[in-house]
Amino acid sequence: MTTASPPAFSHATPAFRTFCGDRAMAALPRELQRTGRARVVLVHGASVGRDEPAIGRVRQAVGDRLVGAFTEVRAHSPVPTVEAASRYLAEVGADAVIAVGGGSAVVTARAASILLAERAPLRQLCTSRAADGSLHSPRLLEPKIPQWILPTTPTTAYAKAGSAVRDPETGERLALFDPKTRAQGVFLDPAMIATTPQPLFLSATLNAFSMAVEGLQAPLDDPLTDALALHALREIAVWGPRSVASPVDPEPRLRLMSAALLAGQASDHSGSGLAQALSHAVGPAFDVSNGIIESILLPHAMRFNAPACAPGLRKVAEALGRDPDEAPAEAATCAVTSVLGKLNAPVRLRDVGIAREDLDSIVDHALDDWSLSQAPRRPSRTELQELLRSAW
């Protein structure tokens, strides 16, 4: 496919170490030694903590550098939990954090390290909307303690610099951005990922798939970003159904973890999209995972975006094996819908407990979401309402 002009882009790849397979955990003590860390804290939720064989392996790998564990991680990283985690890091004098679990553990650890270093109320540190409607992220200048990740789900949060936490009192999603909180690396360990129930694992896979699809619709001519997102798509299309068929097989899970890393790294350059902005407004408020909501909304968002991103939709269609001579929007949407079906994704908002009368409040929160500013086609309030009704 030819373009009207040669590509022009800037692509910075942050330093990041990935260890995958049976010996991944063996690299953990070497990483801590390499960076001179001596006071390590684990950050995880109750379910991970109850799996004594799994968490015991982590403690053994960290050894005498381990000074404690914050075990109160909650879904969607509520502000009170993040504040409690920050206080705990301060109390034990942590000089490194290892997040163990899914996206909420990763985000909680990252956001807590920001509060620990900046010593200011969270609302002073998060992205805010200026009087002219523009969004502003303050520069967070203090040094941050290093992070590592031992994931149990294929979350795209592995290599991110942003941390989105939820205020349970207002329902707001508060975004913190600090490149210094990017993880040093990730350890994809077969024994750890085997601890995750299949529905939770697949909902995280849906998030990675949606993020890759939306990233390819971005108004960006960067072949390096495309390569990351396209390979993530191909891997999920192949290994996602295999994971459904063989939930205890470690190979599909490890492949999907790697695909999530690719999708997350790609989205650092492409940004987020419409389905993600809406999922941020729905998921925390209704206790549904972002991946599930994104999978429901993704085909509808693709149809809405189609007039603005035909080249990107063509890439999606080709990556998923559709005829590139078809109408790009229809070919891409059909291909995506087929993959979602093989992953047992729900198809309607009502199927996951969203009531029709809730749709307007979802629109209110979505209009303030940072991700919406990165969508290839900016919707009006009325258009968002229509999209949600069609997905309901």
Side-chain angles (χ1 to χ4, degrees):
M1 178 178 172
T2 59
T3 57
S5 59
F9 63 90
S10 174
H11 188 108
T13 302
F16 189 83
R17 295 173 180 240
T18 304
F19 305 91
C20 179
D22 292 332
R23 295 193 54 76
M25 192 81 79
L28 177 52
R30 296 197 302 269
E31 284 294 284
L32 297 174
Q33 183 177 14
R34 177 182 66 83
T35 55
R37 301 299 107 183
R39 299 188 63 79
V40 179
V41 167
L42 307 182
V43 174
H44 59 79
S47 60
V48 170
R50 285 193 296 267
D51 194 323
E52 187 53 43
I55 201 66
R57 292 179 68 248
V58 182
R59 294 193 192 104
Q60 184 177 11
V62 178
D64 58 9
R65 294 180 177 88
L66 183 63
V67 297
F70 179 80
T71 63
E72 304 301 319
V73 168
R74 298 287 184 269
H76 304 294
S77 305
V79 170
T81 300
V82 171
E83 292 171 338
S86 179
R87 290 192 297 270
Y88 183 81
L89 295 178
E91 288 168 7
V92 301
D95 67 1
V97 172
I98 299 174
V100 186
S104 294
V106 176
V107 169
T108 297
R110 252 192 332 243
S113 72
I114 290 175
L115 292 184
L116 174 70
E118 298 292 338
R119 300 182 183 277
L122 190 145
R123 283 189 175 271
Q124 292 182 18
L125 308 173
C126 69
T127 300
S128 60
R129 189 175 294 279
D132 63 359
S134 63
L135 293 168
H136 170 69
S137 292
R139 295 186 66 189
L140 308 179
L141 300 177
E142 295 299 324
K144 307 301 185 297
I145 62 176
Q147 318 266 314
W148 282 269
I149 302 172
L150 259 165
T152 58
T153 69
T155 172
T156 56
Y158 302 150
K160 293 291 190 180
S163 303
V165 302
R166 181 173 183 265
D167 185 336
E169 294 185 0
T170 65
E172 293 173 279
R173 183 175 181 269
L174 306 175
L176 302 159
F177 180 79
D178 189 343
K180 296 186 294 301
T181 62
R182 290 185 191 276
Q184 302 279 311
V186 62
F187 306 88
L188 306 180
D189 178 81
M192 294 302 297
I193 64 176
T195 65
T196 304
Q198 183 70 349
L200 180 58
F201 196 91
L202 284 175
S203 70
T205 301
L206 291 170
N207 170 253
F209 181 72
S210 299
M211 189 166 283
V213 171
E214 293 213 299
L216 287 164
Q217 298 172 64
L220 186 71
D221 191 6
D222 177 353
L224 303 181
T225 296
D226 283 355
L228 293 166
L230 288 168
H231 196 57
L233 275 191
R234 297 186 190 102
E235 288 286 274
I236 294 171
V238 170
W239 294 102
R242 296 187 190 184
S243 181
V244 172
S246 303
V248 298
D249 186 348
E251 183 177 9
R253 287 196 165 198
L254 284 172
R255 298 281 186 180
L256 292 171
M257 302 286 267
S258 299
L261 175 57
L262 293 171
Q265 290 176 329
S267 71
D268 257 1
H269 302 278
S270 64
S272 302
L274 179 53
Q276 289 167 66
L278 288 166
S279 76
H280 296 159
V282 178
F286 298 95
D287 197 26
V288 185
S289 74
N290 286 348
I292 293 294
I293 299 300
E294 286 167 6
S295 68
I296 295 171
L297 297 173
L298 185 60
H300 301 273
M302 292 171 69
R303 294 186 185 98
F304 175 81
N305 289 333
C309 56
L313 291 173
R314 182 183 179 91
K315 294 173 188 175
V316 171
E318 289 185 286
L320 297 179
R322 295 300 295 241
D323 184 351
D325 292 329
E326 290 185 61
E330 186 61 26
T333 304
C334 288
V336 164
T337 302
S338 176
V339 174
L340 293 175
K342 293 174 184 177
L343 297 179
N344 296 332
V347 296
R348 299 176 301 184
L349 291 173
R350 72 184 79 175
D351 296 335
V352 295
I354 310 300
R356 190 178 180 89
E357 55 266 28
D358 294 324
L359 300 185
D360 284 345
S361 67
I362 292 169
V363 170
D364 291 337
H365 285 293
L367 287 170
D368 281 331
D369 194 279
W370 173 264
S371 299
L372 201 61
S373 67
Q374 302 170 302
R377 183 182 173 202
R378 185 67 183 263
S380 67
R381 173 182 290 275
T382 299
E383 287 169 330
L384 281 181
Q385 290 170 329
E386 292 174 351
L387 188 152
L388 286 172
R389 289 189 193 111
S390 68
W392 187 81

